[in-house]
Amino acid sequence: MKKRVLSGMRPTGKLHLGNLHGALANWKKLQEDYECYFFVADWHALTSDYQDTSHVQEYIWEMLIDWLAAGLDPQKATIFIQSKVPEHAELHLLFSMITPLPWLERNPTYKEQKKQLIEKDLNTYGFLGYPVLQAADILIYKAHFVPVGIDQLPHIELTREIARRFNYLYKKEVFPLPEPLLAEVPKLLGIDGRKMSKSYNNAIYLSDSPEEIRKKVSQMFTDKSRLRKRDPGHPDICNVFSFHKIYTAAEQVAEIERDCKAAKIGCVECKKIMAENLIAGLRPHQERRAYYKSHMDELKDIVAAGIKKAQAVARQTLEEAKAAVGI
Ligand code: TRP
Ligand code: SF4
């Protein structure tokens, strides 16, 4: 029996290179060895973006297109949309009865996001309960492993605490305790040198045209100590070079490294080479994107089948949980 893996992503915007080389590359590998469930966390998007929901449908479907374009295989992984499996919401309600408020109030991501996203009113019941819903997402499939970024570790810990408390209160081992899976990811920063993120406006999107990519790459920060072409550069601290390591052939990478250190290549030229390699490297992904965009029926069928499969499992767990509680 394969172990179960589950993960989700919030549809709050277009996906970028950081998502592709981070979460998606990892998920694609995991689907070979685990029984995988991957879902679009649309309820979770609402916890912070409830005031403007005009883009949520677009983001959901664009996200699903990128997942398939990135190589998630519906034969191997169950791909679905959270709100279409209402059992998540029902288990969330059940968990909300047993989760002590202080567990949520001291959640570091809650405190931090409330401080950071000042333009949004996050003083809501739903936002505080974000990790309770996440616990329901995970536990309703009795997932063994949850691939996430480090920022999500407190939520996995809370999930374990909720599972433990439920099993203890109702004297039945309904929920196994899940474990986080942290993946090694290549360090691709945004064009301004900060973490690539849509909220920093520094991302290269998987849907960007060649012209947009050329423009963004030309604006990328490089080795800050290299002011003129005659100054030797330090590729090891240059974000453009990190991209070369992914998109440029090994021999050319070695050549660029040598020439940069010897001040024989300028950053403008180096970026132009990288931009073309990046455009070429992304082309297969973008072709698959275009395919699904013009075959939306196929995509909808894939997701409908995923919802059905997920729901069958979710319903069973929910029944078991309600029986243990006695309702
Ligand atoms: N909170 C996760 C994030 O922001 C998204 C998410 C929702 C999730 N439910 C989940 C991740 C369940 C893993 C498992 O990245
Ligand atoms: Fe970076 Fe290339 Fe400039 Fe060297 S030449 S600092 S690797 S952009």
Side-chain angles (χ1 to χ4, degrees):
M1 275 296 272
K2 282 185 182 175
K3 297 246 180 187
R4 236 176 237 177
V5 158
L6 170 132
S7 199
M9 228 184 253
R10 299 183 335 130
T12 49
K14 296 179 286 188
L15 296 196
H16 53 62
L17 287 175
N19 303 122
L20 181 66
H21 295 289
L24 290 180
N26 188 219
W27 291 7
K28 182 168 144 69
K29 259 191 262 144
L30 290 168
Q31 72 184 354
E32 302 302 330
D33 301 318
Y34 296 92
E35 183 189 337
C36 288
Y37 292 80
F38 299 125
F39 68 96
V40 180
D42 55 348
W43 283 125
H44 276 111
L46 288 191
T47 60
S48 56
D49 295 0
Y50 61 90
Q51 295 193 31
D52 177 9
T53 55
S54 55
H55 293 290
V56 68
Q57 281 307 317
E58 173 198 336
Y59 292 156
I60 289 171
W61 292 100
E62 286 287 316
M63 177 172 269
L64 287 161
I65 287 172
D66 273 322
W67 288 9
L68 293 174
L72 294 194
D73 180 349
Q75 302 300 323
K76 297 176 181 156
T78 304
I79 294 167
F80 63 100
I81 300 168
Q82 182 188 35
S83 69
K84 300 288 186 201
V85 182
E87 286 77 2
H88 289 231
E90 200 174 335
L91 188 60
H92 165 251
L93 179 59
L94 191 46
F95 284 165
S96 74
M97 305 300 169
I98 69 162
T99 306
L101 265 182
W103 289 11
L104 302 176
E105 284 162 346
R106 65 168 178 250
N107 170 21
T109 45
Y110 173 71
K111 290 195 283 190
E112 190 160 316
Q113 295 238 23
K114 244 176 93 173
K115 232 188 305 165
Q116 273 186 12
L117 303 175
I118 30 169
E119 75 282 3
K120 296 178 183 163
D121 181 1
L122 297 180
N123 230 335
T124 61
Y125 177 55
F127 188 69
L128 180 67
Y130 185 113
V132 183
L133 178 57
Q134 186 163 347
D137 296 336
I138 297 167
L139 296 174
I140 205 155
Y141 300 102
K142 303 190 179 186
H144 301 100
F145 297 110
V146 187
V148 284
I150 312 180
D151 61 308
Q152 292 291 309
L153 290 181
H155 291 171
I156 308 303
E157 193 47 47
L158 246 159
T159 301
R160 293 166 60 87
E161 279 166 6
I162 291 172
R164 220 180 270 123
R165 182 160 164 85
F166 184 100
N167 294 343
Y168 164 77
L169 285 171
Y170 305 113
K171 303 187 176 48
K172 186 157 187 272
E173 291 294 309
V174 176
F175 298 111
L177 305 191
E179 282 175 45
L181 273 186
L182 289 175
E184 194 74 50
V185 291
K187 199 169 161 213
L188 291 183
L189 301 172
I191 62 172
D192 61 358
R194 293 187 289 171
K195 180 184 152 98
M196 193 181 285
S197 160
K198 59 185 169 302
S199 39
Y200 293 155
N201 209 1
N202 66 358
I204 297 175
Y205 294 100
L206 302 179
S207 51
D208 277 351
S209 66
E211 294 70 47
E212 285 167 309
I213 293 176
R214 284 188 195 104
K215 182 156 168 250
K216 287 180 180 177
V217 170
S218 76
Q219 298 164 340
M220 270 172 88
F221 282 31
T222 62
D223 170 6
K224 282 201 285 301
S225 66
R226 194 176 185 209
L227 300 176
R228 301 168 216 86
K229 186 176 165 183
R230 63 170 192 274
D231 301 329
H234 305 84
D236 48 314
I237 56 160
C238 173
N239 191 30
V240 174
F241 193 69
S242 306
F243 280 73
H244 271 302
K245 285 196 275 192
I246 294 181
Y247 289 103
T248 302
E251 290 151 49
Q252 203 181 7
V253 174
E255 190 184 311
I256 286 168
E257 182 168 23
R258 217 177 326 114
D259 290 352
C260 171
K261 286 178 176 167
K264 279 206 244 159
I265 183 174
C267 295
V268 174
E269 187 192 345
C270 182
K271 286 173 169 181
K272 281 193 176 144
I273 298 169
M274 193 277 273
E276 294 315 312
N277 292 341
L278 169 55
I279 290 163
L282 260 189
R283 195 166 298 132
H285 182 95
Q286 297 196 329
E287 282 168 5
R288 288 189 292 268
R289 280 189 117 265
Y291 173 84
Y292 285 108
K293 276 207 164 246
S294 57
H295 293 77
M296 280 304 280
D297 290 350
E298 197 177 314
L299 180 61
K300 301 234 159 157
D301 286 347
I302 288 170
V303 176
I307 292 167
K308 203 166 152 217
K309 256 179 84 185
Q311 190 162 29
V313 179
R315 200 173 284 153
Q316 223 178 0
T317 311
L318 183 65
E319 289 309 318
E320 203 186 327
K322 285 167 85 175
V325 173
I327 56 166

